[in-house]
Amino acid sequence: LANCRDLEAISRTIEAHRKNDGHVVIIDQLSMIAVEGAKTPFEVATVSSNRLRTLACELHIPIVASSQVNGPAAKKSDHLSVNDLRESGHLENDAAGVLLIDNIRKPDGDDSASCPVRYIQILVDKKRYGRRTDPKEPIERLWWPTICRIEDVSLVGIEAEA
């Protein structure tokens, strides 16, 4: 949904995407959506997440929306939680699941800026129909940012470092 900020325009685009046999919708940066009449970022997030959930249910299509964490959460040393999402509104209530990407780091011993791979930890902080991830045992994956790829560490043959 490039260059589409208005919530109603996004809704029309999602409906057209589904009619053309689209299978998933990804919205990069929930906070960039404009909602007519909303006065605060909290109201924007609340109205947006509710409308997106309604569309996902009505059209039977998964909608993935990214959101930033709030300022204090970005500086804390322990694991993220759904409460750390910026202006979360009713995101936790509306979402069927919340995945948090945490602790992005380079492989041990590689201080070069050109290192093509990073380790990430994924936490499932909300899953309506299943289990959450224990923050002490996150899902460890390799992330190749230049090609937007995430891989299972065990499949690549690189050992995960703690």
Side-chain angles (χ1 to χ4, degrees):
L1 300 175
N3 301 322
C4 190
R5 289 198 53 195
D6 175 64
L7 184 58
E8 291 311 310
I10 290 171
S11 297
R12 289 189 302 274
T13 304
I14 291 172
E15 289 171 4
H17 178 67
R18 183 65 185 124
K19 286 177 184 172
N20 290 310
D21 205 29
H23 298 286
V24 66
V25 173
I26 298 175
I27 297 177
D28 184 14
Q29 204 51 34
L30 187 63
S31 65
M32 298 299 291
I33 295 175
V35 177
E36 189 174 326
K39 295 182 174 80
T40 66
F42 180 85
E43 289 176 356
V44 170
T46 299
V47 171
S48 298
S49 70
N50 184 272
R51 179 68 180 129
L52 293 174
R53 171 157 171 71
T54 301
L55 280 167
C57 291
E58 287 174 356
L59 301 173
H60 306 288
I61 187 170
I63 299 176
V64 178
S66 69
S67 180
Q68 291 179 314
V69 295
N70 59 38
K75 296 174 185 148
K76 72 181 189 177
S77 60
D78 57 340
H79 293 285
L80 297 174
S81 77
V82 71
N83 298 325
D84 295 325
L85 295 177
R86 178 179 285 172
E87 308 299 347
S88 62
H90 290 151
L91 282 176
E92 185 177 2
N93 292 333
D94 294 331
V98 176
L99 298 177
L100 301 165
I101 298 175
D102 195 10
N103 198 12
I104 300 172
R105 66 189 191 289
K106 295 178 186 176
D108 287 346
D110 192 335
D111 294 328
S112 68
S114 63
C115 180
V117 67
R118 303 284 188 272
Y119 286 98
I120 61 172
Q121 292 179 340
I122 301 172
L123 301 169
V124 179
D125 197 43
K126 178 191 176 180
K127 188 173 180 188
R128 184 168 286 145
Y129 309 107
R131 296 180 306 152
R132 295 171 51 194
T133 305
D134 180 348
K136 295 175 185 166
E137 297 179 16
I139 301 164
E140 182 93 354
R141 294 293 183 258
L142 287 173
W143 173 45
W144 304 84
T146 56
I147 58 172
C148 299
R149 183 181 179 106
I150 296 176
E151 296 177 323
D152 187 336
V153 175
S154 64
L155 298 177
V156 181
I158 298 174
E159 290 190 31
E161 291 128 14

